[in-house]
Amino acid sequence: MITKKQILWLIALAIITVMVSVACKKKPTDTGNYMSVTEAGQTPAPEFPSNNPIGKLTIDTNQGLIQFNGLSFRSGAYYMNGNYTRKIYYYADVKVDSDSKPYVSAITKSEDGEIIEDEGKFYDYANGKGAVYNLEGIRYQSNNRITAEVTFTEDGYLVIRFSNYGLDITYSLTTEIIDSKSELEGTWKSGNHVIEIDSKGNITLNCPLGNNHNYHYSYTGKIDNDFDYPYAVKMYAMQGGERKVGTITFNNSSSATGSFYYYRNNIWDISSWSFSKVE
């Protein structure tokens, strides 16, 4: 015979089992995307452009994020995830996308310019105004959306707390021009297809040589100084007096897709290739 005490014990056990099951299914924080950082130096003093002699950042309490469009900020040095052998720096730019929506572009680089975290775009879905904004976006090559509490100050500083970071990141206004094209510089490969991008943004694709290729030629193109992903670039090749047009689309700073005409088996053909940046 089952006693009242045994029944209560079974009910309690069932409740605990349900609670544990729900807790296991919920993932409020993706620990794989959580970043631990430590300050490695002081935040540099803000650099105001020459057309701002008073050295103050004008903040209009009746205007939204777009009032800061065109401003760039850079942090001091930090260490990431316990690696004290390499310093990293955080960059933030206020931009406007093709739909005229303002956002904060955030990127992380090492002291030698290597991309540590690809660009994250943080939008103001709450339509804030003034100095403080609660933004939302994707960061660190993750599909998880995170938040960013953003505060601008009149003395030229920007403070951001990303929800996957354990502290506030302090940036200062900078006049340094940060060229997006530097992210793409280097060698990109798709099998035997190789694209080279130099420090000036010149792109070259030498069409692969093989038994089926009767003509040898190269596609060339030019990357803009600043752009947003996905970013498409037209490339051109001259062969037999004909101008052939190809396109390479950079999805981010490490992957791209190209579509090009090339001559094989006595006909012009189009093929698409997926490129990866060679580290």
Side-chain angles (χ1 to χ4, degrees):
M1 179 177 180
I2 300 177
T3 65
K4 182 177 181 181
K5 183 177 180 180
Q6 289 174 320
I7 292 174
L8 292 174
W9 183 86
L10 290 172
I11 292 174
L13 180 61
I15 292 173
I16 292 173
T17 302
V18 171
M19 292 176 65
V20 171
S21 175
V22 171
C24 289
K25 291 179 180 179
K26 291 178 67 178
K27 297 176 67 177
T29 302
D30 187 342
T31 55
N33 292 322
Y34 189 83
M35 311 303 292
S36 174
V37 294
T38 306
E39 288 188 82
Q42 294 183 340
T43 304
E47 300 173 354
F48 288 88
S50 57
N51 61 358
N52 187 343
I54 63 173
K56 290 290 183 180
L57 188 61
T58 301
I59 301 177
D60 189 337
T61 56
N62 295 315
Q63 294 292 321
L65 185 62
I66 198 168
Q67 67 180 299
F68 305 107
N69 181 35
L71 297 183
S72 296
F73 299 83
R74 176 183 170 175
S75 77
Y78 285 82
Y79 296 119
M80 178 182 283
N81 292 339
N83 183 355
Y84 297 102
T85 63
R86 181 172 64 172
K87 295 179 180 179
I88 62 170
Y89 297 85
Y90 296 94
Y91 296 84
D93 299 272
V94 184
K95 300 180 178 181
V96 175
D97 66 14
S98 57
D99 295 322
S100 300
K101 295 180 180 179
Y103 65 95
V104 171
S105 167
I107 193 169
T108 309
K109 297 182 181 181
S110 67
E111 53 190 333
D112 58 3
E114 178 187 353
I115 303 298
I116 304 299
E117 293 179 291
D118 281 336
E119 181 191 32
K121 296 180 180 181
F122 293 86
Y123 285 85
D124 178 24
Y125 297 105
N127 297 319
K129 294 181 179 180
V132 181
Y133 299 86
N134 293 309
L135 310 183
E136 186 178 343
I138 295 176
R139 186 170 174 77
Y140 193 49
Q141 302 171 338
S142 167
N143 290 322
N144 295 330
R145 301 191 73 82
I146 64 173
T147 59
E149 298 177 13
V150 174
T151 303
F152 296 88
T153 67
E154 289 186 345
D155 53 356
Y157 291 97
L158 170 65
V159 180
I160 302 180
R161 174 177 282 270
F162 297 104
S163 58
N164 66 328
Y165 273 72
L167 80 166
D168 295 341
I169 305 296
T170 301
Y171 305 71
S172 57
L173 187 66
T174 179
T175 57
E176 176 185 355
I177 298 176
I178 305 169
D179 288 345
S180 298
K181 69 173 182 291
S182 63
E183 302 173 15
L184 305 180
E185 180 183 349
T187 301
W188 297 68
K189 285 188 176 182
S190 175
N192 294 326
H193 310 277
V194 179
I195 284 179
E196 297 287 350
I197 303 176
D198 66 19
S199 60
K200 296 182 179 180
N202 297 308
I203 318 175
T204 303
L205 166 65
N206 291 312
C207 285
L209 306 181
N211 294 332
N212 294 328
H213 289 76
N214 298 326
Y215 296 146
H216 302 167
Y217 51 94
S218 298
Y219 278 92
T220 59
K222 181 78 172 181
I223 296 175
D224 295 326
N225 287 340
D226 193 28
F227 52 83
D228 293 323
Y229 297 111
Y231 172 57
V233 182
K234 294 290 186 183
M235 298 181 66
Y236 304 94
M238 292 299 297
Q239 176 58 49
E242 291 188 56
R243 189 191 196 205
K244 298 299 179 181
V245 181
T247 302
I248 182 166
T249 300
F250 296 95
N251 305 308
N252 50 50
S253 62
S254 59
S255 70
T257 301
S259 179
F260 300 93
Y261 279 95
Y262 64 104
Y263 193 83
R264 67 176 180 179
N265 297 332
N266 298 317
I267 61 171
W268 285 101
D269 196 5
I270 298 179
S271 186
S272 295
W273 308 306
S274 295
F275 290 85
S276 297
K277 190 176 183 183
V278 179
E279 300 296 335

